[in-house]
Amino acid sequence: MMPGLRSRISPDPEKSEDGIGSESDVECFQNFTAPEVFTQGLAGMVNQQDVSTIIRSQKYMLTRFEKTNEMLMNCNALSATRYQNAMIDFKKHTQMLVAMRKDIDNIFKRIRAIKVKLAQQYPVEYEIAATTQRKEKSTREREDSEDDEPTVSSTTLTASLIGKGAVVEGNAASVGVSSEPTTPQKLESDV
């Protein structure tokens, strides 16, 4: 055992000539085990004010961690409810997009059917209109690649067809291109 350790544990150490405590000093440690003696020695070395400061700071940190934990739990609960709302909205929007896709497919099928019908009823005029549209499309693509500016949509074809006797009403378009003037009643009877 260290002489300094004995001096702190025993209140009145008696030292012999070699610096080690006397037999009475050794007798007071006979009731303790070696780990207990070591622990008591360490307890005497530690400043109690430092220990109380450490305990206070640990309690302060504990309260802060508890508050932080509570705030995180509230944040998680709020995030969970908002996630549920977002999932419901996402499912609705997905269903709406699927329905819109079906509607658009249906519209394109109808447009193809109208084009086929027009091509059968008016093959020459339809070919002229298709050739004109292809030329305008290639011209627009060249202009787009040169300028990278947005162009007007395909209203030019519609305007040129209207000028040649096409009638556009609501959602349905009836196109009749002939040498004689066309009336809406005549077009409806042809379709």
Side-chain angles (χ1 to χ4, degrees), residues 158-174:
T158 307
S160 66
L161 290 176
I162 290 174
K164 293 181 181 179
V167 177
V168 179
E169 294 179 4
N171 291 337
S174 303

Side-chain angles (χ1 to χ4, degrees), residues 47-131:
N47 186 353
Q48 290 301 318
Q49 187 177 7
D50 292 342
V51 171
S52 63
T53 304
I54 291 171
I55 291 173
R56 274 196 310 266
S57 66
Q58 286 179 344
K59 285 181 181 178
Y60 174 73
M61 288 168 41
L62 177 66
T63 57
R64 287 195 59 185
F65 287 144
E66 287 173 347
K67 288 178 182 177
T68 304
N69 193 23
E70 185 176 339
M71 289 187 332
L72 287 174
M73 288 172 50
N74 289 337
C75 181
N76 283 339
L78 181 64
S79 297
T81 57
R82 289 197 178 177
Y83 175 75
Q84 290 297 326
N85 293 338
M87 283 302 295
I88 291 169
D89 290 344
F90 181 74
K91 286 180 183 179
K92 287 179 185 176
H93 293 153
T94 303
Q95 291 172 352
M96 183 177 63
L97 286 174
V98 169
M100 288 173 64
R101 171 66 186 215
K102 288 178 183 177
D103 292 343
I104 289 174
D105 287 341
N106 189 14
I107 290 168
F108 282 127
K109 283 180 186 177
R110 288 182 182 183
I111 289 173
R112 280 193 291 273
I114 290 171
K115 282 183 178 182
V116 168
K117 191 173 184 179
L118 289 174
Q120 290 173 351
Q121 287 181 354
Y122 310 103
V124 175
E125 290 84 3
Y126 184 81
E127 186 60 37
I128 292 171
T131 306

